[in-house]
Amino acid sequence: NPLVQTCVIQSQFLFQLPPLQWQNDSPLQNDVEEFKRQTDESVFDPLLLRASVWKDLEEGRSVMRCKQCPLARVLWIQHKSKKVEPDWSTWSRIFQWYGKPNDGTQWRIFWFPSELKRTAPERGLEVGPAHINGGYTIPCTSSAIVIYRREEATRVLLHEMSHAACLDDQSESL
């Protein structure tokens, strides 16, 4: 399969690159505003996981963290009693794989690491967003990739990056 061969060659090249260097940073005002805006109601998050994590921040139980590298800016909310961070090495490789966004900026990730895990619906009920969703983004836009479960955050990042990088067939609705 030519696609598989291309992926293997690209991944071999990718792991020859030095890993990205992450630096702690302070959230900018527009980061905070956009992060909060991402707590608005959404069909993607009917359980309001993002709003619940944000409430912990507003009530002082959590803090906002920010790290950036040349390709991405990651903001997340961390409970004061529990350190939660992505696997920076793996996330580095993902950003290196996708490269710079088409608009020449950085990928901007908002992570609400809710501890609520995915569960199957009761027998006979339909599977819906409450059972499977863990993130969303606007296709072809690098400014707000949202992940709102801690569970499988890296897998969700990969999935949402594909949408944000405009890899979907734009003639089909999502």
Side-chain angles (χ1 to χ4, degrees):
N1 181 335
L3 179 59
V4 171
Q5 289 173 340
T6 300
C7 287
V8 168
I9 291 167
Q10 285 180 339
S11 64
Q12 289 171 343
F13 170 75
L14 183 66
F15 283 93
Q16 291 174 5
L17 296 173
L20 296 172
Q21 297 301 305
W22 290 92
Q23 297 176 348
N24 290 320
D25 200 3
S26 297
L28 303 172
Q29 184 62 34
N30 70 345
D31 291 331
V32 175
E33 290 167 2
E34 183 62 25
F35 211 158
K36 176 145 180 52
R37 196 176 75 71
Q38 295 303 327
T39 65
D40 293 346
E41 277 190 49
S42 167
V43 296
F44 299 108
D45 179 17
L47 299 175
L48 306 175
L49 300 178
R50 296 161 301 128
S52 174
V53 171
W54 189 266
K55 184 178 179 185
D56 284 345
L57 176 70
E58 289 183 327
E59 294 179 356
R61 291 185 293 275
S62 296
V63 294
M64 187 180 299
R65 297 280 189 236
C66 179
K67 279 194 178 190
Q68 72 170 346
C69 68
L71 297 174
R73 184 169 184 78
V74 178
L75 297 105
W76 74 101
I77 297 171
Q78 176 177 299
H79 203 275
K80 286 182 176 178
S81 65
K82 187 178 196 176
K83 183 177 180 179
V84 174
E85 292 190 22
D87 175 349
W88 296 112
S89 176
T90 301
W91 282 36
S92 289
R93 296 303 183 190
I94 292 168
F95 294 121
Q96 286 175 312
W97 184 287
Y98 282 94
K100 269 210 175 285
N102 291 336
D103 62 9
T105 62
Q106 292 174 299
W107 301 104
R108 188 165 63 163
I109 314 304
F110 297 103
W111 185 28
F112 300 84
S114 170
E115 294 292 337
L116 188 64
K117 294 186 185 258
R118 291 176 180 89
T119 57
E122 290 183 30
R123 189 177 186 94
L125 296 178
E126 283 189 37
V127 175
H131 307 105
I132 58 174
N133 284 4
Y136 61 87
T137 193
I138 298 169
C140 306
T141 304
S142 62
S143 63
I145 298 169
V146 178
I147 302 169
Y148 55 85
R149 291 190 200 254
R150 183 173 180 193
E151 177 187 33
E152 298 180 353
T154 299
R155 184 198 61 76
V156 174
L157 174 66
L158 271 167
H159 176 89
E160 298 306 333
M161 288 284 293
S162 294
H163 296 309
C166 217
L167 298 180
D168 298 308
D169 181 349
Q170 297 305 304
S171 66
E172 297 179 18
S173 63
L174 298 176

